[in-house]
């Protein structure tokens, strides 16, 4: 079974349409359809293709390493085993004796498990009714403030990734959510995923940071303590790099 077929089966087992998956991953519908057809030519390169694949796997509840291994096997013509990929991603240590692991078996088990869980949830929902309490608004935040997409919105989450102190980047999803990919000068991925509106993430490294933003108009950037002018419009995908002198 190809990677595109695995993604399609996992999406259907999760009860999601392509449009639903596009909304949750912030990946365009047209690009998702090409990925499910095993066409990765418009992903912007293998690094961004891997980022999309990890994002899709996370939203579908599948171990991202399964999809990445399939991508390596089919698209990159890699001769490495699943075990080598796990060692490379620091998931496991190099064993004394190499063992072959079939990613196809793992993928089949994962998709089947997802189908069983989904079926169980449908049966439970048809036999019982659960009252879900409505969220209580904070006493310090009015409804109009919570829906206001202005740049003055207060971040609700903070996260810091540091591999050095030469250059610092602060990304604030001030107006809307955005997909974000950040790597350092060595090509190591520091973050790949979606930022919710109002969240802030801080990155620092010794030499430079490479950034790709899926919704440039929705975020504000602060580089080395200085706010950067708008780098793009709403919905525009922009790639930038910042160094020590930025």
């Amino acid at each position: 079974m190809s990677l595109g077929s695995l993604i399609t089966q996992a999406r259907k087992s999760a009860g999601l349409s392509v449009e639903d998956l596009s909304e949750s991953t912030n990946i365009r519908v047209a690009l998702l359809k090409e990925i499910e057809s095993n066409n990765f030519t418009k992903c912007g390169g293998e690094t961004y293709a891997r980022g999309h694949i990890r994002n899709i796997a996370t939203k579908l509840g599948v171990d991202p390493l399964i999809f990445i291994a399939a991508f390596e096997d089919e698209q990159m013509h890699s001769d490495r085993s699943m075990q080598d990929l796990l060692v490379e991603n620091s998931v496991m240590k190099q064993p004394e004796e190499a063992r072959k692991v079939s990613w196809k078996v793992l993928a089949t088990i994962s998709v089947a498990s997802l189908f069983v869980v989904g079926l169980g949830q449908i049966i439970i929902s048809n036999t019982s009714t659960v009252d879900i309490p409505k969220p209580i608004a904070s006493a310090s935040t009015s409804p109009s403030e919570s829906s206001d997409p202005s740049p003055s919105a207060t971040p609700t989450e903070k996260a810091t990734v540091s591999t050095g102190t030469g250059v610092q980047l602060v990304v604030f999803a001030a107006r809307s959510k955005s997909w974000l990919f950040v790597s350092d000068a060595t090509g190591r991925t520091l973050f790949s995923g979606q930022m919710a509106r109002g969240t802030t993430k801080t990155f620092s490294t010794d030499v430079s940071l490479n950034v790709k933003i899926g919704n440039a108009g929705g975020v504000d950037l602060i580089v080395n303590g200085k706010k950067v002018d708008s780098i793009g419009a709403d919905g525009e995908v922009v790639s930038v790099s910042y160094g020590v002198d930025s």
Side-chain angles (χ1 to χ4, degrees):
M1 182 179 291
S2 67
L3 172 58
S5 298
L6 285 174
I7 294 175
T8 301
Q9 184 174 345
R11 173 178 59 76
K12 291 181 178 179
S13 296
L16 299 176
S17 65
V18 175
E19 289 73 18
D20 293 334
L21 187 57
S22 173
E23 176 65 21
S24 63
T25 60
N26 207 33
I27 301 174
R28 293 179 292 105
V29 171
L31 183 55
L32 280 174
K33 290 182 178 179
E34 290 184 352
I35 290 174
E36 289 192 354
S37 298
N38 282 329
N39 183 356
F40 300 89
T41 58
K42 296 183 180 179
C43 289
E46 63 179 81
T47 299
Y48 295 122
R50 288 190 181 93
H52 289 322
I53 292 169
R54 288 191 182 95
N55 194 7
I56 291 170
T58 299
K59 297 302 180 182
L60 294 179
V62 178
D63 186 348
L65 288 178
I66 295 175
F67 284 175
I68 292 297
F71 176 79
E72 292 282 351
D73 186 50
E74 297 175 5
Q75 303 298 324
M76 307 306 297
H77 304 291
S78 173
D79 293 329
R80 294 175 299 170
S81 66
M82 169 65 81
Q83 184 180 78
D84 293 332
L85 294 173
L86 294 176
V87 172
E88 178 181 310
N89 287 275
S90 300
V91 175
M92 64 177 289
K93 296 181 179 180
Q94 180 67 46
E96 296 181 358
E97 296 182 2
R99 298 179 181 177
K100 295 183 179 180
V101 179
S102 173
W103 66 263
K104 293 183 179 180
V105 173
L106 293 177
T108 301
I109 293 174
S110 180
V111 173
S113 299
L114 182 62
F115 175 79
V116 172
V117 172
L119 181 60
Q121 290 178 341
I122 293 174
I123 294 175
I124 293 174
S125 63
N126 289 335
T127 57
S128 62
T129 301
V130 180
D131 293 326
I132 302 176
K134 295 182 179 179
I136 300 175
S138 171
S140 61
T141 305
S142 66
S144 60
E145 291 175 336
S146 64
S147 60
D148 181 11
S150 64
S152 61
T154 302
T156 59
E157 177 187 338
K158 292 184 179 180
T160 301
V161 178
S162 176
T163 59
T165 58
V167 55
Q168 183 185 70
L169 168 68
V170 179
V171 183
F172 175 27
R175 290 165 291 280
S176 60
K177 66 182 180 180
S178 176
W179 181 83
L180 176 67
F181 177 85
V182 181
S183 63
D184 61 15
T186 66
R188 176 172 50 181
T189 299
L190 303 184
F191 179 80
S192 177
Q194 184 168 289
M195 289 184 62
R197 176 185 174 273
T199 58
T200 297
K201 293 189 179 295
T202 302
F203 306 92
S204 63
T205 189
D206 289 328
V207 181
S208 64
L209 289 170
N210 304 310
V211 187
K212 185 168 185 178
I213 301 173
N215 182 15
V219 302
D220 290 335
L221 302 181
I222 299 176
V223 179
N224 298 332
K226 300 178 182 179
K227 185 175 181 180
V228 178
D229 294 336
S230 175
I231 61 173
D234 290 343
E236 183 178 0
V237 178
V238 176
S239 296
V240 291
S241 295
Y242 297 108
V244 177
D245 297 329
S246 298

